Amino acid sequence: MSSPNTLRSATVLVAVTALALTGCTQTAEAPPAPAPSDAGQQVQSTSGDDCTYENYGGTGVEKIDLATATIGFAQSEREANPFRSAETQSIKDEAEARGIKLIATNAQGDLNKEISDIQSMLAQGVDALIISPLKSEGLDPALDAAKEQGVPIFTIDRLLTSKDACVDYIGWVGSDFVEQGRRAAEAMNRVTGGEAKAITLLGAAGVNVTTDRNAGYREWIDANAPGIEIVAEQAGDFDRQKGQTVTEQLLAAHPDITAIYAHNDEMALGAVAALKAAGRSPGDVKIITIDGTQGAVQGIIDGWISGVIESNPRFGPLSFQALEDFYSGKGVPAVQIISDKEYTPENAEAELVNAY
Ligand code: GZL
């Protein structure tokens, strides 16, 4: 059977022949690469110095063969949140696809448990760690223990803001959370026509994602949408029940609100429950949220949610590629920013398949 390369060169040959026959003067271009899977992560940009086993932590660490290694994965929050279940599944799927032994833990939203989970995996002899931090600070006992044992760490999603790449962790991959906030504001402006009394359901404190999603949103609103008034901001901690409770409280205090910005889909779905309980109809209050869960995208289809900015949690392939590049000596950039799509009333039906 022809190999993909043979097929590709054949395609290029056909393309060149077709051009000759039509007399086009353009130079033949290779056919576009096959569209990447729409659900997987794509790297949008990278920055920072490459890190390898030779320069990690200044002194380097032992080179290991990933094929015979045991990798630990520390998940931060309960998997009731589809962001977390999809993230964990992606890590597990990639480990299985590569035939790499994986130990996975879940801190259930408790920082001390994430520390003890990591320390436990170190005691079990993991060779490297992939960590999804619960908070941007506070993991030091675990990071110190890993450094003591010469076990390198790759971080995903939330950023360890006071730690350094290739010193405390190999590198980081995640979304541009400030840009997500800006995109949420642009969507809010679009769906409200630039006029709204809005509330914000904030994510958890001490997390760069919360800070950045709010900064980007407020920056864009301040610069572009004078008609959108943010009347209240309150933490819902990325949790559905808290999102519902906070929305009930803010609806009581501000019965005239017309818009809700939720830092994540779980809180947005909590807000929908509160609106339903208050006898509101779909679309009465415009909701813009971030993640890309099936529940929220279905909410667009049902009219309760007006837009979702994706935050793609499928970190498995890029995480293990980073470990491969770390140990091969190819090197891992300090920062890898992934691209995130947007769900709208126009594309929600077609794109629901890519939600998680
Ligand atoms: C963002 C991630 C956030 C999700 C929430 O990448 O840290 O944490 O948006 C989750 O759903 O709680």
Side-chain angles (χ1 to χ4, degrees):
M1 183 164 110
S2 302
S3 73
N5 287 336
T6 309
L7 285 174
R8 190 182 296 279
S9 55
T11 307
V12 171
L13 177 63
V14 169
V16 170
T17 305
L19 284 170
L21 291 173
T22 57
C24 294
T25 54
Q26 291 161 321
T27 52
E29 289 182 0
S37 149
D38 258 0
Q41 291 182 339
Q42 308 299 324
V43 175
Q44 179 176 278
S45 64
T46 65
S47 61
D49 298 334
D50 286 354
C51 189
T52 74
Y53 72 96
E54 295 152 309
N55 61 356
Y56 183 77
T59 56
V61 291
E62 181 191 355
K63 176 171 180 160
I64 61 165
D65 177 1
L66 267 182
T68 58
T70 298
I71 304 300
F73 172 58
Q75 176 57 277
S76 54
E77 294 177 319
R78 292 178 179 80
E79 300 205 1
N81 177 350
F83 182 96
R84 296 299 166 193
S85 52
E87 186 182 50
T88 296
Q89 196 57 52
S90 177
I91 297 285
K92 288 181 175 176
D93 289 350
E94 187 67 16
E96 185 178 358
R98 289 173 174 256
I100 295 175
K101 186 175 178 222
L102 181 78
I103 298 174
T105 61
N106 188 308
Q108 303 294 319
D110 180 325
L111 181 61
N112 288 323
K113 187 177 184 306
E114 188 162 42
I115 291 169
S116 60
D117 284 347
I118 293 166
Q119 291 170 329
S120 165
M121 289 190 280
L122 289 167
Q124 293 174 69
V126 294
D127 297 294
L129 284 160
I130 301 168
I131 297 178
S132 189
L134 178 67
K135 299 283 187 181
S136 292
E137 304 285 346
L139 270 182
D140 296 62
L143 304 179
D144 295 346
K147 191 171 286 187
E148 183 69 29
Q149 284 189 217
V151 174
I153 293 167
F154 185 68
T155 60
I156 63 177
D157 187 36
R158 299 175 182 180
L159 185 66
L160 298 172
T161 43
S162 65
K163 300 302 177 187
D164 297 315
C166 214
V167 176
D168 304 300
Y169 59 91
I170 295 170
W172 169 86
V173 58
S175 296
D176 180 339
F177 304 112
V178 175
E179 185 60 22
Q180 289 179 337
R182 294 190 193 105
R183 294 172 67 190
E186 193 278 328
M188 183 64 83
N189 186 57
R190 187 179 343 120
V191 302
T192 61
E195 293 295 327
K197 276 184 176 297
I199 63 172
T200 300
L201 302 176
L202 301 168
V207 177
N208 67 301
V209 174
T210 302
T211 308
D212 291 353
R213 283 179 179 168
N214 216 40
Y217 178 79
R218 295 192 71 102
E219 169 201 294
W220 198 96
I221 295 284
D222 291 348
N224 302 288
I228 295 179
E229 180 190 3
I230 301 170
V231 298
E233 297 175 340
Q234 192 168 331
D237 294 349
F238 292 124
D239 177 79
R240 185 179 304 208
Q241 183 53 56
K242 290 182 182 175
Q244 178 174 348
T245 303
V246 168
T247 302
E248 287 164 353
Q249 292 167 352
L250 293 180
L251 273 177
H254 307 276
D256 58 346
I257 63 156
T258 60
I260 298 174
Y261 168 42
H263 282 185
N264 84 323
D265 290 357
E266 281 298 287
M267 293 192 293
L269 293 170
V272 168
L275 292 169
K276 287 178 177 176
R280 302 295 183 94
S281 302
D284 277 0
V285 176
K286 305 299 185 191
I287 299 177
I288 297 296
T289 180
I290 301 176
D291 266 348
T293 63
Q294 291 183 8
V297 178
Q298 186 61 47
I300 295 178
I301 296 165
D302 298 341
W304 285 102
I305 292 177
S306 299
V308 180
I309 306 299
E310 182 188 46
S311 201
N312 192 321
R314 303 179 180 95
F315 292 99
L318 290 176
S319 298
F320 281 93
Q321 189 59 53
L323 292 178
E324 181 182 316
D325 294 344
F326 177 76
Y327 285 115
S328 71
K330 178 180 177 186
V332 181
V335 173
Q336 296 182 75
I337 298 286
I338 60 168
S339 54
D340 290 310
K341 61 177 75 205
E342 180 175 355
Y343 296 94
T344 66
E346 291 72 31
N347 73 10
E349 290 265 10
E351 288 289 326
L352 180 61
V353 66
N354 290 315
Y356 51 85

